[in-house]
């Protein structure tokens, strides 16, 4: 017996299919009599058993007829709060490849027999383990490819202060069975309950000598449409995360650029403040030396200043005009240089990436160093080295000439 898996997905809750009032294409009709029906209680009867008394108490307390509830089952069916009339889980041990119901001769396989024992024990103990999940329909199908259970249950939660005292609430039912409140989509009451049920199934399998593979738990908790929807959601979230990463990176770059611009503007603003203070001081000085002269004939008024003061006023005015002109001129130049710096910085970054990609880092550094202006000491050292090399070559030439002379003399 090989390693097998446990499947515990949500079912669709088709009671007519579960109870074989309707025969689908994947059913082998000749084996339908093999199925095991543990409980098949009508849904209306189950609701009366679960909520009938609470419904009557609620209606008895109502003085107005329009507030009374006629049919709690119909109310849940028409509810817009997400409640379901009942819930279903399909429980399966193994797959059709390793736990088929029948062999080539149409006989029940040994693997199926072992799985049936586990599933039957699980079904019989379900209500004891889950007092707030009222099991009203439970069947084992042996007329399909692999043995499996359909367990249909109604969540029953107690202790409500307003409205009916007992209600249909899956979350509340799980909490009253001891499962902690949800903290996230992956850590909630339903997931915790599924994990506990899986653990119980695993123990039952071990008792029968069935080894269980725990892989695929997340997939088995979902139906195929739910699984596809979940995977699409994961893909969408991943794409959103990548988009956010790009946006954050762009914002960080923009923020750095803004800070640089603010720093430059702060510098210019400080410069303008200094110039403004100087101009204000010169203006006050000019006003202090000017003496107003009243015109006796009612014409335009004049001021009188000393010749030396007048010269200072003219000089101050000339400086102010020159400053304004220069500020405007250099502001335009600075703006142009900033644009060039931006372009050059971009080109430098591209060059760095290219150099790094080609593995030319050390060679590039040496090349850059060679472009740097040389100091007097460096030039002197290079001149000495060049002179040393020239002397070495001269000495080699002399030695070669001496050797040749010796050779000629020997021949003579």
């Amino acid at each position: 017996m090989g390693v097998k898996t446990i499947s515990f997905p949500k079912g669709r809750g088709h009671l007519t299919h579960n109870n074989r009032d309707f025969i689908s294409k994947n059913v082998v009709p000749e084996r339908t009599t093999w199925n095991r029906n543990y409980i098949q209680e009508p849904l209306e009867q189950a609701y009366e058993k679960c909520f009938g008394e609470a419904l009557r108490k609620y209606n008895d307390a109502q003085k107005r007829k329009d507030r009374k509830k006629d049919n709690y089952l119909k109310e849940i069916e028409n509810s817009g709060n997400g409640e379901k009339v009942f819930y279903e889980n399909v429980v399966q041990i193994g797959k059709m490849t390793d736990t088929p119901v029948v062999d080539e001769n149409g006989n029940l396989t040994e693997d199926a027999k072992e799985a049936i024992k586990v599933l039957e024990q699980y079904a019989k103990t379900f209500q004891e383990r889950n007092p707030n999940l009222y099991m009203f329909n439970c069947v084992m199908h042996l007329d399909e490819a692999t043995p499996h259970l359909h367990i249909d249950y109604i969540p029953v939660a107690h202790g409500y202060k307003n409205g009916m005292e007992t209600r249909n609430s899956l979350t509340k039912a799980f909490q009253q069975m001891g499962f902690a409140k949800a903290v996230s989509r992956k850590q909630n009451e339903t997931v915790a309950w599924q994990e506990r049920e899986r653990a119980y199934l695993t123990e039952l399998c071990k008792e029968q000598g069935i080894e269980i593979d725990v892989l695929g738990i997340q997939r088995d908790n979902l139906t195929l449409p739910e699984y596809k929807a979940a995977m699409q959601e994961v893909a969408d979230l991943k794409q959103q995360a990548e988009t956010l990463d790009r946006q954050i990176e762009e914002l960080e770059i923009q923020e750095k650029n803004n800070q640089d611009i603010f720093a430059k503007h702060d510098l210019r603003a400080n410069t303008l403040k200094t110039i403004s203070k100087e101009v204000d001081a010169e203006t006050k000085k000019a006003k202090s030396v000017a003496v107003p002269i009243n015109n006796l004939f009612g014409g335009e008024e004049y001021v009188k200043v000393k010749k030396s003061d007048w010269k200072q006023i003219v000089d101050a005015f000339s400086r102010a005009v020159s400053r304004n002109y220069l500020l405007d001129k250099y502001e335009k130049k600075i703006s142009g240089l900033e644009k060039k710096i931006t372009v050059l910085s971009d080109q430098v970054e591209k060059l760095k990436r290219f150099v790094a990609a080609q593995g030319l880092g050390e060679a590039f550094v040496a090349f850059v160093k060679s472009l740097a202006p040389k100091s007097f000491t460096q030039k002197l050292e290079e001149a000495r080295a060049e002179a040393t090399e020239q002397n070495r070559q001269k000495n080699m030439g002399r030695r070669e000439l001496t050797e040749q002379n010796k050779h000629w003399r020997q021949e003579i």
Side-chain angles (χ1 to χ4, degrees):
M1 184 180 295
V3 179
K4 299 183 180 181
T5 58
I6 289 176
S7 298
F8 196 75
K10 299 174 184 177
R12 296 183 180 181
H14 291 170
L15 296 177
T16 55
H17 168 76
N18 297 350
N19 298 332
R20 293 303 186 243
D21 296 327
F22 167 76
I23 304 296
S24 58
K25 293 181 180 180
N26 64 325
V27 172
V28 180
E30 294 79 10
R31 295 210 311 266
T32 298
T33 56
W34 294 15
N35 293 344
R36 302 186 182 186
N37 303 323
Y38 300 102
I39 181 172
Q40 290 177 313
E41 183 178 1
L43 185 58
E44 294 80 3
Q45 182 177 321
Y47 258 70
E48 168 61 28
K49 187 178 294 184
C50 293
F51 308 109
E53 184 179 353
L55 179 61
R56 284 186 289 274
K57 284 184 178 180
Y58 170 80
N59 286 334
D60 290 342
Q62 303 305 313
K63 295 180 180 181
R64 291 172 48 178
K65 291 184 179 180
D66 59 337
R67 291 184 176 178
K68 293 185 177 183
K69 301 177 183 292
D70 295 329
N71 190 318
Y72 187 58
L73 174 59
K74 293 295 182 183
E75 180 180 318
I76 297 299
E77 285 180 348
N78 300 324
S79 173
N81 297 327
E83 299 103 332
K84 292 184 179 180
V85 173
F86 67 91
Y87 297 81
E88 178 179 285
N89 278 86
V90 181
V91 187
Q92 180 174 310
I93 308 298
K95 303 175 183 177
M96 61 182 299
T97 54
D98 55 38
T99 314
V101 175
V102 296
D103 57 21
E104 62 275 6
N105 299 319
N107 299 319
L108 196 64
T109 64
E110 292 300 320
D111 289 297
K113 291 177 182 178
E114 296 296 329
I116 289 169
K117 291 179 183 179
V118 172
L119 295 174
E120 190 159 82
Q121 180 64 17
Y122 178 83
K124 289 180 177 180
T125 57
F126 181 87
Q127 192 65 81
E128 181 182 350
R129 288 192 317 280
N130 300 286
N132 290 77
L133 304 180
Y134 181 74
M135 184 174 65
F136 69 96
N137 207 87
C138 180
V139 298
M140 182 188 296
H141 286 165
L142 299 175
D143 55 0
E144 296 180 43
T146 307
H148 60 275
L149 287 172
H150 286 267
I151 296 182
D152 300 285
Y153 52 90
I154 302 167
V156 181
H158 307 281
Y160 287 92
K161 294 181 180 180
N162 298 321
M164 290 174 54
E165 183 183 6
T166 303
R167 300 183 198 173
N168 175 329
S169 173
L170 185 63
T171 301
K172 198 76 171 177
F174 282 145
Q175 290 175 4
Q176 291 182 354
M177 284 161 47
F179 295 99
K181 289 184 178 181
V183 295
S184 67
R185 291 185 63 183
K186 292 183 178 180
Q187 289 181 285
N188 56 49
E189 298 89 344
T190 301
V191 172
W193 175 72
Q194 290 174 336
E195 289 177 353
R196 190 198 69 177
E197 294 299 291
R198 281 181 166 278
Y200 178 71
L201 273 168
T202 301
E203 288 301 317
L204 292 179
C205 288
K206 288 181 179 179
E207 291 175 6
Q208 293 295 328
I210 302 173
E211 186 178 356
I212 296 299
D213 182 4
V214 297
L215 298 178
I217 287 177
Q218 294 299 324
R219 165 65 183 91
D220 287 339
N221 283 339
L222 304 173
T223 62
L224 183 58
E226 289 172 333
Y227 176 72
K228 290 181 178 179
M231 293 305 294
Q232 182 61 47
E233 184 178 356
V234 171
D236 293 342
L237 288 173
K238 184 178 180 181
Q239 185 176 1
Q240 290 176 15
E242 292 174 352
T243 302
L244 285 174
D245 285 342
R246 289 195 298 270
Q247 291 176 349
I248 290 170
E249 185 177 355
E250 291 171 0
L251 288 173
E252 287 177 346
I253 294 172
Q254 184 178 348
E255 176 65 17
K256 185 179 182 302
N257 293 337
N258 289 340
Q259 290 176 356
D260 293 341
I261 292 171
F262 289 152
K264 293 173 184 176
H265 279 286
D266 287 342
L267 178 62
R268 294 173 199 171
N270 291 333
T271 304
L272 288 173
K273 285 181 181 178
T274 302
I275 294 173
S276 179
K277 287 180 180 179
E278 293 176 359
V279 172
D280 288 343
E282 292 173 349
T283 303
K284 288 180 180 179
K285 186 177 180 181
K287 287 181 179 179
S288 65
V289 298
V291 180
I293 300 176
N294 294 325
N295 194 327
L296 298 176
F297 301 100
E300 185 177 0
E301 293 185 352
Y302 293 87
V303 293
K304 180 175 71 174
V305 296
K306 294 180 181 179
K307 187 174 182 180
S308 59
D309 292 334
W310 171 250
K311 184 179 180 182
Q312 290 179 358
I313 291 172
V314 172
D315 290 342
F317 177 76
S318 298
R319 286 196 301 273
V321 172
S322 299
R323 286 167 181 164
N324 289 337
Y325 170 76
L326 290 173
L327 282 172
D328 183 62
K329 177 181 177 181
Y330 287 116
E331 184 69 26
K332 291 179 180 178
K333 284 189 176 181
I334 289 170
S335 178
L337 288 172
E338 285 176 344
K339 292 179 181 178
K340 289 182 180 180
I341 289 171
T342 300
V343 174
L344 290 172
S345 297
D346 182 58
Q347 292 177 350
V348 168
E349 289 302 319
K350 290 180 179 178
L351 178 61
K352 286 180 179 179
R353 289 195 294 269
F354 173 78
V355 168
Q358 299 296 323
L360 302 174
E362 294 180 0
F364 180 73
V365 171
F367 172 71
V368 171
K369 287 182 178 178
S370 69
L371 298 179
K374 298 176 182 178
S375 64
F376 176 77
T377 303
Q378 288 176 323
K379 291 180 180 179
L380 181 60
E381 290 178 353
E382 289 181 357
R384 287 175 178 172
E386 185 177 355
T388 301
E389 178 63 21
Q390 289 178 355
N391 290 333
R392 187 182 66 81
Q393 292 179 357
K394 287 180 181 179
N395 291 332
M396 288 181 61
R398 288 173 183 171
R399 284 197 296 272
E400 290 178 356
L401 183 60
T402 301
E403 292 295 329
Q404 288 179 358
N405 290 334
K406 288 181 180 180
H407 179 70
W408 289 338
R409 287 172 185 172
Q410 290 175 356
E411 288 183 348
I412 294 172

